[in-house]
Amino acid sequence: VDLPLTLPEFEERAAGAIERGAFDYFAGGAGDEITLRDSVAAWQRLALRPRVLVDASRRSLEVTVLGRRRPHPLIVAPMAHQRLATPDGERATARAAVATQTPMCLATLASTGIDELAAAEPGLTRWFQVYVLRDRGATTALVEAAAAHGYEALVVTADVPVLGVRERDRRSRFETEEAQELPALRLLGREGRMIVGETASLFDPTVTWRDVERLASESPLPVLVKGILLAEDARRAVDHGAAGVVVSTHGGRQLDTVLASADALPPIVDEVGDEVDVLVDGGVRRGTDVLKGLALGARAVMVGRPVIWGLATGGAAGAQRVLELLLGELDNALALTGALHADGLDRSFVQHAPWANH
Amino acid sequence: VDLPLTLPEFEERAAGAIERGAFDYFAGGAGDEITLRDSVAAWQRLALRPRVLVDASRRSLEVTVLGRRRPHPLIVAPMAHQRLATPDGERATARAAVATQTPMCLATLASTGIDELAAAEPGLTRWFQVYVLRDRGATTALVEAAAAHGYEALVVTADVPVLGVRERDRRSRFETEEAQELPALRLLGREGRMIVGETASLFDPTVTWRDVERLASESPLPVLVKGILLAEDARRAVDHGAAGVVVSTHGGRQLDTVLASADALPPIVDEVGDEVDVLVDGGVRRGTDVLKGLALGARAVMVGRPVIWGLATGGAAGAQRVLELLLGELDNALALTGALHADGLDRSFVQHAPWANH
Amino acid sequence: VDLPLTLPEFEERAAGAIERGAFDYFAGGAGDEITLRDSVAAWQRLALRPRVLVDASRRSLEVTVLGRRRPHPLIVAPMAHQRLATPDGERATARAAVATQTPMCLATLASTGIDELAAAEPGLTRWFQVYVLRDRGATTALVEAAAAHGYEALVVTADVPVLGVRERDRRSRFETEEAQELPALRLLGREGRMIVGETASLFDPTVTWRDVERLASESPLPVLVKGILLAEDARRAVDHGAAGVVVSTHGGRQLDTVLASADALPPIVDEVGDEVDVLVDGGVRRGTDVLKGLALGARAVMVGRPVIWGLATGGAAGAQRVLELLLGELDNALALTGALHADGLDRSFVQHAPWANH
Amino acid sequence: VDLPLTLPEFEERAAGAIERGAFDYFAGGAGDEITLRDSVAAWQRLALRPRVLVDASRRSLEVTVLGRRRPHPLIVAPMAHQRLATPDGERATARAAVATQTPMCLATLASTGIDELAAAEPGLTRWFQVYVLRDRGATTALVEAAAAHGYEALVVTADVPVLGVRERDRRSRFETEEAQELPALRLLGREGRMIVGETASLFDPTVTWRDVERLASESPLPVLVKGILLAEDARRAVDHGAAGVVVSTHGGRQLDTVLASADALPPIVDEVGDEVDVLVDGGVRRGTDVLKGLALGARAVMVGRPVIWGLATGGAAGAQRVLELLLGELDNALALTGALHADGLDRSFVQHAPWANH
């Protein structure tokens, strides 16, 4: 296949490769999409401060996440309905993840089952994203299934008590017209298909920190709370047993005009970074963005939409290329900043960019 | 009817639905329209700081305005000549307001009479906007008529001693060519029609704070002073008997390059917010804007042009949809910020947006 | 004539009304024209802080300039070669100035003679702009002629030791091809015509503060130094006998990327505003700009290019309309800011505009 | 020849004059080219503070660089493969440099040999840019050849341990398809041609400050370290024997989102400017940019791409015109700022530009 050279090109190609409603479902954000756009821009408001002549041959991308040494800091973010991007959906993503030694976080609303993914790609380091559902028994069933099938962490989504205002989906009527495969539904004793716009009705809006605490105490897996933007919420996560937090705006899909992850990250690292792992998610399009996230104190960086654009453009091979481009650029940036080691970064490598006031 | 999904679309549709001169009359601002544009942008320069996992099922839009509990913080702003937007003008607006439990402020220059509106929509919570006219007897007559017909508050416009420089109207010759229905004129013993461009000649440029004081002492209704942008003027309003102030740029129609309402609001709340109700008006296009106004200390938020675009696009049903969109988004934002209660907001939910320096 | 309603429209119309080279000569600036553009933008970076309910019927545009009471703060800036804009050049400008009671500053490089202008418009309040020429005797002759013909002030241009880098002129070859009427040359004993691009050769690059001192001591007229952008130079002007300074970038025509006048003004007022008159020149396109200049401490405001666009569009009547538009808008802004009196403004009426960081 | 009047026009003309791949090779930068664009913009974020009436006839462009008096502060930056811009490549550049008394820094990857250039233009003040190669013997041979042929300084490139991510080159396949003349290779005992994309394989990624120290101690020539962006690295350069540093982003071609040279310069001057010569390179397009660099403390200013655009547009004559334009503008700016002497500038002549926040 003739794959693109940059992530923006992957997005452009994806727009032509899958149907408009599906593209908009993945690409769209809440409201005026201010946070969606700013998620990318916020990384660009950070300037790098490179050191030279430090023997760039000795570099390493390795990091430690949840106590385990990983070959690099990328993780595939949880994303629903990946069959909308490529016929075999999450299984294609998993092949790309295995090929690049990237952990992958399966979504509750995945179009591939917990067991199915584990069976298809046993070599995959897999995490599971869980919504606290109205049906708490089903929630427990999901969590137990994840543990039983070798998933290594639970990522609890905290920022969807109700669904955001997503006008692209309203406009495309995409949400309302076609049922998608949702194997997780079977654990709820329901048929395994659902209209996208109705899936949010499964989620429990009464969910609170006690639910996090219960999950953390009941499951053998470490629990990360995803969707944290304030230091005080990060503190609450730690107080309720979380092993980590994922600083995230839910891809700018939930509440418009919230801070971009890159801006929300530093105070959260200051608050809990010494106690638990802080991860960051949103707007990463370059290896330099990954490096900046690490420099601000993140232990790992989740990548979402670019993987979808990879899938849509070239299936598993496309997703793999996306991850390889990011890893190649990160390696290049570790050499050219003189940081050399992904786990050796700190804030001295970044500063507010002078061009960001222009 | 097939109504738009967002307020900007309503505006776009309205531009094609009514004659250009009328559209420009409503849409236009003073001078280079810098304040007009910035009124919208200023809300977007505020970022939200959302809290998660707080039981979002328990939310409420209720607020207290002028001592009364209201189901939500929206109020239809006073706007002249609404028959230019839809055949039955203010009566259509009133139906939308009743349907959404929104108070409506009738304008002195309305194309519907004080009595007429009260008779048509007795269930409407109605306020009256009053200009201090050269004919003080007529001013008194207007105020007495409002009280007699069950209007609950007087909104005294403070920022039109002379009319602003509005070039769209000069260009369209809209101001000078066609008389509009003005029932309030009959209380002045004049024929009930007038050329738009001449109406400002009714207003008294010598009006001062003493006039506010007189109105406040003579009328049984609470008096709000509208058009305040400085804390010292808000203090004067309180000192002269006002029950509240409306922070407003008159829709950017009076003096260009004045501060947008969102920027003028906080010091005014700091000065008088503990003593009287501070309302805000201008540039609100999203539920998140309403939430930000409340977070900065406003008790209620007036909405103007979007209601006109609703009227022009779909009459009463269009205006109702506009108000419902805003209320739906506000509800969504209360859930997703974790604020939950419209009267429980404070400045910890907002901050200067990092993207606003870009 | 059907004249435009705004100054930007006058410019647009002028571009079509006179030949391109002449238009570019007037419109162009130095280098990348950053200062040229910013001269307009800098006024827009100031927000107004309006006070309401102050009896707006009692307003006045009067100011005191060089010890004389003037009906308003506008002055026509010195500009060369006005016959390029309209056939009778400066005489048309003078008629507009007389009609609006505006002082006019005749340029050394005017296409109308010192005596000729005085004879044509005896009712004109006239000032004379003088370059210190290589021929000091001729300089003295110019200054004496101005005094003899009732000019009331000398404006010494300080910012043209050499000509700026003006690419529009180089490109149009306008500077090099056609001689222009220059009656002042006759006082140098030369023929009264010269190629525009060669006129700078008349100026003396060795001119220093001593020359200002000599002019100020030898001439009965008050001397203003024009082209000051730094407080320390304003101090030097005062120390060398100037009666005032004109904060100016020479219309952005001399050195690109210097501070716009609106930004350079405040520290100069702080330094010498209590001792001499500080005037400002550059980028004024609105009555609100004039008001902001006064609020920052200027005693009067020079207007240049807009007058040329008025001339090019409609001769004397066009120039008059330009001045009337500015005066009308200033009057409107005095009412709507509540400042009321042009000589009653101070910095409390302006602040840095929040939108200027956007 | 009919040569352009400004540097941007030279670039535009060059784009049409040479093949696209070659143009992109010279024009392109790393990643999203944020630093590439900001290198130009950063100079424009500085405003000039001009002093008037200082006798502008006495100006001088002379500066002292590496202890020698030079007629002006420009130096032709080292750039590879100049035959891609004009048939006789570096020899044409050298003729332009001689004609304008500009030192020229020959690149290791030049398409003209060290000896060849010296023989062709003995009157040229020549420097040599050296990469520390994997083959240290060859590195020594290059350095010795430079000394033997009268080169006066060594410029060691510090910011290419690996090649940056340059997508234009990947896209054009320019890097991979055609071998270029590389006479320096013969000193490595290799054929004197190489594919552009493979040249980086010659560089040693293990290079450290010890290599700088060795070069500085072994070579009779003063050593400047090029590619420094941090004050602590400038300090290290001094500590390891450098006679100066060149603040540079490698033309924005190595690591995207690093600080532009204009922003990186001041802290480096503060750190080492009293001890060694600090030069600056990147984004210079105007004489005012050169002046700003000197005002911030640089001793000399390297000019790269504009010289290439000159070559591509008009060969040696084009490059000469480019240098003359910059020198003419610098002279003009020295007059109009009142600085007068290129070696008399300091930071009082510049300030952060108010428009840069807009």
Side-chain angles (χ1 to χ4, degrees):
Chain A
V1 217
D2 181 28
L3 292 171
L5 288 173
T6 66
L7 272 48
E9 281 173 277
F10 268 102
E11 176 167 1
E12 200 180 309
R13 287 268 288 276
I18 55 176
E19 63 159 313
R20 189 74 205 172
F23 178 80
D24 275 342
Y25 168 72
F26 290 119
D32 297 310
E33 301 189 338
I34 291 173
T35 295
L36 176 70
R37 287 188 296 277
D38 198 56
S39 293
V40 173
W43 296 114
Q44 299 180 345
R45 282 197 297 268
L46 292 165
L48 290 172
R49 298 167 49 84
R51 297 165 199 176
V52 295
L53 297 173
V54 290
D55 186 356
S57 65
R58 300 175 300 113
R59 57 198 191 264
S60 153
L61 275 66
E62 282 187 30
V63 293
T64 302
V65 185
L66 295 180
R68 302 205 182 167
R69 201 69 181 160
R70 302 282 327 156
H72 62 73
L74 296 189
I75 297 169
V76 177
M79 291 174 291
H81 309 302
Q82 296 184 19
R83 284 200 186 160
L84 289 167
T86 197
D88 52 352
E90 288 80 2
R91 292 172 64 162
T93 312
R95 289 200 298 278
V98 168
T100 55
Q101 297 185 280
T102 310
M104 169 179 170
C105 186
L106 186 73
T108 292
L109 299 181
S111 36
T112 303
I114 291 171
D115 49 350
E116 188 186 354
L117 189 77
E121 294 295 338
L124 173 70
T125 298
R126 48 201 181 271
W127 292 7
F128 183 66
Q129 175 269 333
V130 63
Y131 283 109
V132 177
L133 305 176
R134 291 183 191 269
D135 180 339
R136 298 296 163 98
T139 311
T140 303
L142 287 170
V143 166
E144 287 175 352
H149 289 90
Y151 289 70
E152 297 183 7
L154 290 178
V155 175
V156 184
T157 295
D159 55 4
V160 193
V162 299
L163 210 66
V165 175
R166 302 183 194 171
E167 284 147 16
R168 293 207 211 188
D169 289 342
R170 291 188 188 169
R171 225 177 292 280
S172 72
R173 301 178 187 268
F174 172 79
E175 285 187 320
T176 54
E177 279 172 10
E178 207 182 326
Q180 299 298 326
E181 202 71 30
L182 272 190
L185 287 177
R186 293 198 199 98
L187 290 172
L188 288 75
R190 299 171 64 155
E191 196 206 351
R193 293 181 67 83
M194 201 172 195
I195 298 284
V196 170
E198 292 173 6
T199 51
S201 65
L202 303 171
F203 309 157
D204 187 350
T206 71
V207 62
T208 67
W209 290 105
R210 288 178 188 275
D211 297 285
V212 169
E213 191 158 332
R214 196 170 314 120
L215 270 176
S217 65
E218 288 176 7
S219 169
L221 303 182
V223 168
L224 294 107
V225 182
K226 178 163 174 285
I228 301 292
L229 291 172
L230 299 186
E232 53 261 42
D233 272 353
R235 170 56 53 204
R236 283 187 196 100
V238 173
D239 290 347
H240 290 83
V245 297
V246 184
V247 178
S248 171
T249 67
H250 207 108
R253 299 161 79 83
Q254 280 296 96
L255 181 62
D256 198 24
T257 73
V258 299
L259 289 181
S261 305
D263 288 314
L265 178 60
I268 291 172
V269 168
D270 291 342
E271 179 69 31
V272 302
D274 289 343
E275 303 166 51
V276 299
D277 281 2
V278 178
L279 280 65
V280 68
D281 156 84
V284 168
R285 298 293 179 270
R286 286 282 180 191
T288 43
D289 299 337
V290 178
L291 187 147
K292 290 169 186 177
L294 300 176
L296 295 180
R299 293 295 182 99
V301 175
M302 284 188 165
V303 180
R305 286 186 184 91
V307 172
I308 295 292
W309 309 144
L311 289 178
T313 301
Q320 179 176 338
R321 174 68 64 88
V322 161
L323 292 165
E324 286 169 350
L325 279 171
L326 284 172
L327 291 170
E329 288 183 12
L330 173 61
D331 179 58
N332 184 270
L334 286 170
L336 294 179
T337 53
L340 304 180
H341 301 279
D343 63 1
L345 285 153
D346 59 46
R347 293 188 192 167
S348 70
F349 286 94
V350 290
Q351 67 164 76
H352 181 77
W355 57 80
N357 292 329
H358 192 48
Chain B
V1 218
D2 181 29
L3 292 170
L5 288 173
T6 66
L7 272 51
E9 281 173 278
F10 267 101
E11 177 167 0
E12 201 180 310
R13 288 268 288 276
I18 56 176
E19 63 158 313
R20 190 73 205 172
F23 178 80
D24 275 343
Y25 169 73
F26 289 119
D32 297 310
E33 301 189 337
I34 291 172
T35 294
L36 176 70
R37 285 188 298 275
D38 196 57
S39 293
V40 173
W43 296 114
Q44 298 180 344
R45 283 197 295 268
L46 291 165
L48 291 171
R49 298 167 48 85
R51 297 164 200 177
V52 294
L53 298 172
V54 290
D55 186 356
S57 64
R58 300 174 302 113
R59 57 199 191 261
S60 153
L61 276 66
E62 283 188 29
V63 294
T64 301
V65 185
L66 294 180
R68 301 203 183 170
R69 201 69 181 161
R70 303 282 327 155
H72 62 72
L74 297 190
I75 297 170
V76 177
M79 290 173 290
H81 309 304
Q82 297 184 17
R83 283 199 187 160
L84 289 167
T86 198
D88 53 352
E90 290 81 1
R91 291 172 64 162
T93 311
R95 289 200 298 280
V98 168
T100 55
Q101 296 185 281
T102 309
M104 168 179 170
C105 187
L106 186 75
T108 292
L109 299 181
S111 38
T112 303
I114 290 171
D115 49 349
E116 190 186 352
L117 188 77
E121 295 295 338
L124 174 70
T125 298
R126 47 201 183 271
W127 293 9
F128 183 65
Q129 174 269 333
V130 63
Y131 282 110
V132 178
L133 305 176
R134 292 182 189 270
D135 180 341
R136 298 296 163 99
T139 311
T140 304
L142 286 171
V143 166
E144 287 175 352
H149 290 89
Y151 289 70
E152 296 183 7
L154 290 178
V155 175
V156 184
T157 296
D159 54 5
V160 192
V162 300
L163 210 65
V165 175
R166 301 183 195 172
E167 282 145 18
R168 292 208 212 188
D169 289 343
R170 291 187 189 171
R171 223 177 293 280
S172 72
R173 301 176 189 271
F174 172 78
E175 286 187 321
T176 55
E177 277 172 12
E178 206 182 326
Q180 298 299 325
E181 203 71 30
L182 271 189
L185 287 177
R186 294 199 198 95
L187 290 171
L188 288 77
R190 299 172 65 152
E191 198 206 349
R193 293 182 66 83
M194 203 171 195
I195 298 283
V196 170
E198 292 173 5
T199 51
S201 65
L202 303 170
F203 310 157
D204 188 349
T206 72
V207 61
T208 67
W209 290 105
R210 289 177 188 276
D211 297 286
V212 169
E213 190 158 334
R214 196 171 312 120
L215 270 176
S217 64
E218 287 176 8
S219 169
L221 303 182
V223 167
L224 294 107
V225 182
K226 178 165 176 284
I228 301 294
L229 290 172
L230 298 186
E232 52 262 41
D233 273 353
R235 169 56 53 203
R236 283 186 196 100
V238 173
D239 290 347
H240 291 82
V245 297
V246 185
V247 178
S248 172
T249 67
H250 208 107
R253 297 161 79 83
Q254 281 296 96
L255 181 61
D256 198 26
T257 72
V258 298
L259 287 182
S261 305
D263 287 314
L265 179 60
I268 290 172
V269 168
D270 291 342
E271 179 69 32
V272 302
D274 288 343
E275 303 166 52
V276 299
D277 281 1
V278 178
L279 280 64
V280 69
D281 157 83
V284 168
R285 298 294 179 270
R286 285 281 179 190
T288 43
D289 298 338
V290 178
L291 187 148
K292 289 169 186 176
L294 301 176
L296 294 179
R299 292 297 182 98
V301 174
M302 284 188 163
V303 180
R305 286 185 184 93
V307 173
I308 296 292
W309 308 145
L311 289 177
T313 300
Q320 179 176 336
R321 174 67 64 89
V322 161
L323 292 166
E324 287 169 349
L325 279 171
L326 284 172
L327 291 170
E329 288 182 12
L330 174 59
D331 179 58
N332 185 269
L334 285 170
L336 294 180
T337 53
L340 304 180
H341 300 279
D343 63 2
L345 285 154
D346 59 45
R347 292 187 193 168
S348 69
F349 286 93
V350 290
Q351 67 164 76
H352 182 77
W355 57 79
N357 291 331
H358 192 46
Chain C
V1 217
D2 181 30
L3 292 170
L5 288 172
T6 66
L7 273 50
E9 281 173 278
F10 267 102
E11 176 166 1
E12 200 179 312
R13 288 267 288 275
I18 57 177
E19 64 157 312
R20 190 72 208 173
F23 177 81
D24 275 343
Y25 169 72
F26 290 120
D32 297 310
E33 301 189 340
I34 291 173
T35 294
L36 176 70
R37 286 188 298 275
D38 197 57
S39 294
V40 173
W43 296 113
Q44 298 180 345
R45 282 197 296 268
L46 291 166
L48 291 172
R49 299 168 48 86
R51 296 163 199 177
V52 294
L53 297 173
V54 291
D55 188 356
S57 65
R58 300 174 301 112
R59 57 198 190 260
S60 155
L61 275 66
E62 283 188 30
V63 294
T64 301
V65 185
L66 295 181
R68 302 205 182 168
R69 200 70 180 159
R70 302 282 327 158
H72 62 71
L74 297 188
I75 297 169
V76 177
M79 291 173 291
H81 309 304
Q82 296 185 19
R83 283 199 187 161
L84 288 168
T86 198
D88 53 353
E90 289 80 3
R91 291 173 65 161
T93 311
R95 290 201 298 281
V98 167
T100 54
Q101 296 186 279
T102 310
M104 169 179 169
C105 187
L106 187 73
T108 294
L109 298 181
S111 39
T112 303
I114 291 171
D115 49 350
E116 188 185 354
L117 188 76
E121 294 295 338
L124 173 71
T125 298
R126 47 202 183 272
W127 292 8
F128 183 67
Q129 175 270 332
V130 64
Y131 283 108
V132 178
L133 305 176
R134 291 182 190 271
D135 179 340
R136 299 296 162 98
T139 311
T140 304
L142 287 170
V143 166
E144 288 175 353
H149 289 90
Y151 289 69
E152 297 183 8
L154 291 178
V155 175
V156 184
T157 295
D159 54 5
V160 192
V162 300
L163 209 65
V165 175
R166 302 183 195 172
E167 283 146 17
R168 294 208 212 188
D169 289 342
R170 291 188 189 170
R171 223 176 293 279
S172 72
R173 301 176 188 270
F174 172 79
E175 288 187 319
T176 54
E177 278 173 10
E178 206 181 326
Q180 299 299 324
E181 202 71 28
L182 271 190
L185 287 178
R186 295 200 197 93
L187 291 171
L188 288 76
R190 299 171 66 151
E191 197 205 351
R193 292 182 66 83
M194 202 171 196
I195 298 283
V196 170
E198 292 173 5
T199 52
S201 65
L202 303 171
F203 311 157
D204 187 347
T206 72
V207 60
T208 66
W209 291 105
R210 290 177 186 275
D211 297 284
V212 169
E213 190 158 332
R214 196 171 313 118
L215 270 177
S217 65
E218 288 176 9
S219 170
L221 303 182
V223 167
L224 294 107
V225 182
K226 179 165 175 285
I228 301 292
L229 289 172
L230 298 187
E232 54 262 40
D233 272 354
R235 168 57 54 204
R236 284 187 196 100
V238 173
D239 291 347
H240 290 84
V245 297
V246 185
V247 178
S248 171
T249 67
H250 208 106
R253 298 161 79 83
Q254 280 296 96
L255 181 62
D256 197 24
T257 73
V258 297
L259 287 182
S261 305
D263 287 315
L265 178 59
I268 291 172
V269 168
D270 291 342
E271 180 70 31
V272 303
D274 289 342
E275 302 166 54
V276 300
D277 281 1
V278 178
L279 280 65
V280 70
D281 158 84
V284 168
R285 297 295 180 268
R286 287 280 179 190
T288 43
D289 298 338
V290 178
L291 187 147
K292 289 169 186 176
L294 300 177
L296 294 180
R299 292 295 182 100
V301 174
M302 285 187 164
V303 181
R305 287 186 183 90
V307 173
I308 296 293
W309 308 146
L311 289 177
T313 301
Q320 180 176 336
R321 175 66 66 86
V322 161
L323 292 165
E324 286 169 349
L325 279 172
L326 284 173
L327 291 170
E329 287 182 10
L330 174 59
D331 179 58
N332 185 270
L334 286 170
L336 294 180
T337 53
L340 304 179
H341 300 279
D343 63 0
L345 284 155
D346 60 43
R347 292 185 193 170
S348 69
F349 286 94
V350 290
Q351 68 165 74
H352 181 77
W355 57 79
N357 293 330
H358 193 46
Chain D
V1 216
D2 182 28
L3 291 171
L5 289 173
T6 66
L7 273 48
E9 282 172 277
F10 267 102
E11 177 167 0
E12 201 180 309
R13 287 268 287 276
I18 56 177
E19 62 158 313
R20 189 73 207 174
F23 177 81
D24 275 341
Y25 169 73
F26 289 120
D32 297 310
E33 300 189 341
I34 291 173
T35 294
L36 176 70
R37 287 188 297 276
D38 197 57
S39 294
V40 173
W43 295 113
Q44 298 180 344
R45 282 196 297 267
L46 291 166
L48 290 171
R49 298 168 49 84
R51 297 164 199 177
V52 294
L53 298 172
V54 290
D55 187 356
S57 64
R58 300 173 301 112
R59 59 196 189 264
S60 154
L61 276 66
E62 282 187 31
V63 294
T64 302
V65 185
L66 295 181
R68 303 206 181 167
R69 201 69 181 161
R70 302 283 328 156
H72 62 73
L74 296 189
I75 297 169
V76 177
M79 291 173 291
H81 309 303
Q82 296 185 20
R83 284 199 186 161
L84 288 168
T86 197
D88 53 353
E90 289 80 3
R91 293 173 64 160
T93 310
R95 290 201 296 280
V98 168
T100 55
Q101 296 186 279
T102 309
M104 169 179 170
C105 187
L106 186 73
T108 293
L109 299 181
S111 37
T112 303
I114 291 172
D115 50 349
E116 187 185 357
L117 188 77
E121 296 294 338
L124 173 71
T125 299
R126 49 201 181 272
W127 293 7
F128 183 66
Q129 175 269 332
V130 63
Y131 283 109
V132 178
L133 306 176
R134 291 182 190 269
D135 179 341
R136 298 296 162 98
T139 311
T140 304
L142 287 170
V143 166
E144 287 175 353
H149 290 90
Y151 290 70
E152 297 183 7
L154 290 178
V155 175
V156 183
T157 296
D159 54 5
V160 193
V162 299
L163 210 65
V165 176
R166 302 182 194 172
E167 283 147 18
R168 293 207 212 189
D169 289 343
R170 290 189 190 170
R171 225 177 293 281
S172 72
R173 301 177 186 269
F174 172 79
E175 286 187 319
T176 54
E177 278 173 10
E178 206 181 327
Q180 299 299 324
E181 201 72 28
L182 272 190
L185 288 177
R186 292 196 200 98
L187 290 172
L188 288 76
R190 298 170 65 151
E191 195 205 352
R193 293 181 65 83
M194 202 171 195
I195 299 284
V196 170
E198 292 173 6
T199 52
S201 65
L202 302 171
F203 310 157
D204 187 349
T206 71
V207 61
T208 66
W209 291 105
R210 289 178 188 274
D211 296 286
V212 169
E213 191 159 330
R214 195 171 314 120
L215 269 176
S217 66
E218 288 176 9
S219 170
L221 303 182
V223 167
L224 294 107
V225 182
K226 178 164 175 285
I228 301 292
L229 291 172
L230 299 187
E232 54 261 43
D233 271 353
R235 169 56 53 204
R236 282 187 197 102
V238 174
D239 291 347
H240 291 82
V245 296
V246 185
V247 178
S248 170
T249 67
H250 207 108
R253 298 161 80 82
Q254 280 296 95
L255 181 61
D256 198 24
T257 74
V258 297
L259 288 181
S261 305
D263 287 314
L265 178 59
I268 290 172
V269 169
D270 291 342
E271 179 69 32
V272 301
D274 288 342
E275 302 166 53
V276 299
D277 282 1
V278 178
L279 280 65
V280 69
D281 157 83
V284 168
R285 298 293 179 271
R286 286 282 180 191
T288 43
D289 298 338
V290 178
L291 187 147
K292 289 169 186 177
L294 300 176
L296 294 180
R299 292 296 181 99
V301 174
M302 284 188 164
V303 180
R305 287 186 183 90
V307 173
I308 295 293
W309 310 145
L311 289 177
T313 302
Q320 180 176 337
R321 175 67 65 87
V322 160
L323 292 165
E324 287 169 348
L325 279 171
L326 284 172
L327 291 170
E329 288 182 10
L330 173 60
D331 179 58
N332 184 270
L334 286 170
L336 294 180
T337 53
L340 304 179
H341 300 279
D343 63 1
L345 284 154
D346 59 45
R347 293 187 192 168
S348 69
F349 286 93
V350 290
Q351 67 164 77
H352 182 77
W355 57 78
N357 292 329
H358 192 48

